[in-house]
């Protein structure tokens, strides 16, 4: 047996990429190969930057790769080149109509070790995002998950008579027949029913009716797979508990401009509001133009009183260069280390450095005004040449000067044709820095509603010609999301 061969059967969750588990994320991070099906959110592949990605999607009823072939591929990849870590990323939960059991059996038969990382199943999550709890005190105390696919054998609908709530998967095509059989088995035709397509995503669509009408309602709404149909009194609760598809951002195209890393947290928050997030990288990182100067500075890190880091990208570049120089975290000597905020601090901690100072409000200006440094201290800011002047200004106001070393450079990134097309459909653009405002205006113009974070960004946005500007009430991602919501008009709920 090849030493590294290992298979993780990972539940990708129902669609919203925020619903992946932490265990699933770390399996992806260490994957050599990912076998992914079409129900898994494509955004999740960003967690597997090193992996070879193979699509083994099965769509609707016509699998274009057979289950046997998937099993064989899984084993083949696990045994390749002395053993690989393979993640089998499956929509929803691995063992809920996911044929994960068969994949585990294939691993067992080939003596390939495996693990199972359960996922959030669409059977519960799609109703949840439609505002339908599958149990509710006094209303429903049991549920069953059933399939509408004939080849999986008809459920014995008579046997389900004691079950309060039913969730029907893979059932759009046969919905009329299944509804009829449920009525024949004794369920009242007036039983409430709802069908949720692409639940938990910006494309979520819901049709509601009763067992007697749901098939017609679904046809009228043009709903197709993938969809979950919920049958039972709990469906009535949607009227009161609807929450996801009521946000002003639901189904809207929201652009997240990336000038630095760390914006995926914003994308996650927007997706949680049902937004269709378009991520637009505006700059790309390039190696520093003066490596010799950088190495000179890095070899003297220990002579500084404070070394200041203001981005995760900076932290990873720093350690990449130290490694190239044959050094590690000890290069800091007794120098103290400051981070601009929690994300940069965490990046440092991953390299064995616990920062001595992180401002209680993240941001370069706050860091500059609160850094516990005395007059005469030697300060070094490790940044890109794009670093905004806020830090220098705040330190200067206190009579402190800071040296800067360029860890990496940046260049404007021309959007692809697909990205430009997506921009045409944008409803609102989020801007978190002045440089983002300038770079966005440069590539896409200013005829957009923008939600901006920070008065500096607002000022920069106005200067380059944006007119429909909503300023976030404070410098936080949550406030930026709220600003995007109010830019969209009526804030509901
Ligand atoms: N293992 C998956 C189910 C796989 S079977 C899980 O636990 O969710 C595929 C069926 O799942 C689809 O036909 C549909 O009924 C359901 N499904 C998957 N994702 C869905 C989504 N986002 N919204 C609604 N139904 C979904």
């Amino acid at each position: 047996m090849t030493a590294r061969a290992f298979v993780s059967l990972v539940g990708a969750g129902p669609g919203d990429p925020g619903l992946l588990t932490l265990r699933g994320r770390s399996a992806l991070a260490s994957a050599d190969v990912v076998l992914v099906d079409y129900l898994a959110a494509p955004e999740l592949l960003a967690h597997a930057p090193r992996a070879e990605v193979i699509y083994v999607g099965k769509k609707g009823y016509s699998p274009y790769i057979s289950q046997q072939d998937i099993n064989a591929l899984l084993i083949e990849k696990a045994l390749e080149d002395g053993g690989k870590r393979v993640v089998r990323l499956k929509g929803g939960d691995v063992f809920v109509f996911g044929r994960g059991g068969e994949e585990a059996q294939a691993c067992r038969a080939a003596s390939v070790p495996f693990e199972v990382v359960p996922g959030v199943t669409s059977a519960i999550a799609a109703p949840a995002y439609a505002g339908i709890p599958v149990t509710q005190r006094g209303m429903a105390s049991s549920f069953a998950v059933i399939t509408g696919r004939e080849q999986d054998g008809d459920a014995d609908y008579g046997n389900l008579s004691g079950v309060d709530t039913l969730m029907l998967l893979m059932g759009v095509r046969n919905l009329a027949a299944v509804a009829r059989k449920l009525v024949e088995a004794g369920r009242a035709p007036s039983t409430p029913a709802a069908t949720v397509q692409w639940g938990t995503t910006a494309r979520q669509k819901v049709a509601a009716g009763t067992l007697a009408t749901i098939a017609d309602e679904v046809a009228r709404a043009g709903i197709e797979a993938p969809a979950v149909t919920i049958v039972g009194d709990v469906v009535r609760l949607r009227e009161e508990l609807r929450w996801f598809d009521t946000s002003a951002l639901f189904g809207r195209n929201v652009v997240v401009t990336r000038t630095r890393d760390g914006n995926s947290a914003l994308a996650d928050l927007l997706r949680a509001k049902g937004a269709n997030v378009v991520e637009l990288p505006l700059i790309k990182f390039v190696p520093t133009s003066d490596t010799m100067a950088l190495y000179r500075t890095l070899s003297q890190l220990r002579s500084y009183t404070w070394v200041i880091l203001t981005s995760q990208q900076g932290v990873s570049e720093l350690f990449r260069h130290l490694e190239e120089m044959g050094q590690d975290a000890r290069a800091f000597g007794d120098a103290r280390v400051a981070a601009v905020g929690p994300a940069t601090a965490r990046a440092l901690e991953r390299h064995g450095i616990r920062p001595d100072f992180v401002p209680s409000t993240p941001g370069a200006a706050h860091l500059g005004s609160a850094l516990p440094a005395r007059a005469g201290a030697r300060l070094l800011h490790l940044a890109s040449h794009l670093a905004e002047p806020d830090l220098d200004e705040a330190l200067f106001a206190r009579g402190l000067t800071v040296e800067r070393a360029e860890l990496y450079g940046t260049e404007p990134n021309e959007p692809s044709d697909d990205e430009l097309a997506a921009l045409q459909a944008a409803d609102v653009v989020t801007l978190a820095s002045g440089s983002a405002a300038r770079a966005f205006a440069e590539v896409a113009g200013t005829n957009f509603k923008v939600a901006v974070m920070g008065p500096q960004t607002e000022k920069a946005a106005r200067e380059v010609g944006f007119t429909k500007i909503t300023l976030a009430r404070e410098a936080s991602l949550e406030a930026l999301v709220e600003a995007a919501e109010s830019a969209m008009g009526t804030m509901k709920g």
Side-chain angles (χ1 to χ4, degrees), residues 143-180:
F143 63 79
V145 182
I146 61 175
T147 167
R149 246 163 76 133
E150 269 152 8
Q151 64 232 66
D152 293 332
D154 269 356
D156 184 345
Y157 298 106
N159 251 345
L160 293 169
S161 59
V163 179
D164 296 320
T165 307
L166 301 179
M167 289 92 89
L168 175 70
L169 269 60
M170 299 179 282
V172 177
R173 191 163 298 183
N174 292 329
L175 189 53
V178 172
R180 186 165 19 82

Side-chain angles (χ1 to χ4, degrees), residues 413 420 488:
N413 190 40
L420 285 174
M488 260 358 291

Side-chain angles (χ1 to χ4, degrees), residues 343-373:
T344 306
R346 273 195 299 276
L348 279 163
E349 280 161 19
R350 282 196 290 274
H351 290 280
I353 302 266
R354 186 167 305 152
D356 301 281
F357 179 73
V358 186
S360 51
T361 310
H366 297 285
L367 174 59
S369 53
L371 185 76

Side-chain angles (χ1 to χ4, degrees), residues 13-16 37-39 60-61 90-99 119-124 126-127 149 168-172 196-201 204 225-229:
D16 179 346
D37 69 27
Y38 91 107
L39 284 173
Y61 299 98
K90 306 170 71 64
D93 178 73
V94 173
F95 282 172
V96 177
F97 295 128
R99 305 192 70 171
V120 174
T121 179
S122 65
I124 294 174
R149 246 163 76 133
L168 175 70
L169 269 60
M170 299 179 282
V172 177
V196 186
Q197 180 187 28
W198 285 119
T200 79
T201 75
Q204 176 170 302
V228 174
T229 297

Side-chain angles (χ1 to χ4, degrees), residues 274-474:
N276 180 33
V277 177
V278 179
E279 293 192 65
L280 184 70
L282 288 172
I283 61 173
K284 57 177 182 238
F285 299 114
V286 294
T288 176
S289 51
D290 191 351
T291 321
M292 287 321 292
L294 175 62
Y295 283 10
R296 259 197 312 279
T297 308
L298 293 185
S299 62
Q300 294 161 21
L301 275 186
R302 58 184 70 237
S303 69
Y304 290 92
T305 326
W306 281 98
V307 178
I308 300 166
L309 283 141
T310 49
S311 71
Q312 297 176 62
Q313 175 73 11
V315 174
S316 54
E317 283 298 300
L318 166 65
F319 281 90
R320 194 172 64 74
H321 289 300
L322 286 177
E323 195 179 320
E324 262 172 30
M325 297 164 68
Q327 301 212 23
D328 58 26
R330 285 169 295 182
F332 280 92
D334 286 336
R336 298 215 268 164
V337 180
V340 70
T344 306
R346 273 195 299 276
L348 279 163
E349 280 161 19
R350 282 196 290 274
H351 290 280
I353 302 266
R354 186 167 305 152
D356 301 281
F357 179 73
V358 186
S360 51
T361 310
H366 297 285
L367 174 59
S369 53
L371 185 76
R374 295 207 184 95
R378 287 195 71 203
L379 311 182
L380 175 66
H381 182 195
L382 293 173
S384 84
H385 68 88
L386 253 198
E388 306 231 357
D390 304 20
L391 176 69
D392 303 26
E393 282 165 10
L395 289 168
F396 190 73
R398 302 169 52 197
L400 294 163
T401 51
V402 58
E403 290 172 48
R404 164 140 3 122
E406 183 187 302
L407 282 171
Y408 55 95
T410 54
E411 279 176 5
N413 190 40
E414 289 297 315
S416 66
D417 290 349
D418 283 355
E419 284 168 343
L420 285 174
L423 283 182
Q424 292 316 309
D427 294 303
V428 59
V429 177
T430 58
L431 298 170
S433 70
S435 55
R438 287 185 289 271
F440 185 87
E442 184 81 13
V443 299
T446 56
N447 189 20
F448 291 92
K449 287 182 182 167
V450 293
V452 305
M453 183 157 78
Q456 304 284 1
T457 310
E458 185 186 29
K459 188 159 153 271
R462 250 183 235 301
E463 276 166 11
V464 294
F466 291 102
T467 53
K468 292 166 276 180
I469 303 176
T470 308
L471 173 63
R473 67 181 160 75
E474 60 171 39

Side-chain angles (χ1 to χ4, degrees), residues 82-248:
K84 287 186 169 171
R85 297 188 72 89
V86 181
V87 166
R88 173 71 176 105
L89 188 62
K90 306 170 71 64
D93 178 73
V94 173
F95 282 172
V96 177
F97 295 128
R99 305 192 70 171
E102 291 158 67
E103 292 169 3
Q105 284 169 328
C107 292
R108 177 67 82 228
S111 302
V112 171
F114 67 91
E115 67 176 355
V116 179
V117 182
V120 174
T121 179
S122 65
I124 294 174
Y129 272 54
I132 301 170
V134 296
T135 70
Q136 173 83 357
R137 212 180 160 89
M139 197 181 244
S141 61
S142 60
F143 63 79
V145 182
I146 61 175
T147 167
R149 246 163 76 133
E150 269 152 8
Q151 64 232 66
D152 293 332
D154 269 356
D156 184 345
Y157 298 106
N159 251 345
L160 293 169
S161 59
V163 179
D164 296 320
T165 307
L166 301 179
M167 289 92 89
L168 175 70
L169 269 60
M170 299 179 282
V172 177
R173 191 163 298 183
N174 292 329
L175 189 53
V178 172
R180 186 165 19 82
K181 286 177 192 159
L182 287 171
V183 170
E184 280 163 13
R187 245 163 246 265
S190 60
T191 311
T195 298
V196 186
Q197 180 187 28
W198 285 119
T200 79
T201 75
R203 302 155 75 184
Q204 176 170 302
K205 216 175 192 185
V206 180
T210 63
L211 265 185
T213 64
I214 190 67
D216 286 343
E217 296 293 346
V218 162
R220 186 166 326 143
I223 287 179
E224 291 171 13
V228 174
T229 297
I230 305 99
V231 178
D233 289 338
V234 287
V235 167
R236 284 203 195 98
L237 291 166
R238 170 168 160 81
E239 244 173 78
E240 184 189 345
L241 300 184
R242 200 174 157 176
W243 61 277
F244 175 65
D245 47 14
T246 52
S247 155

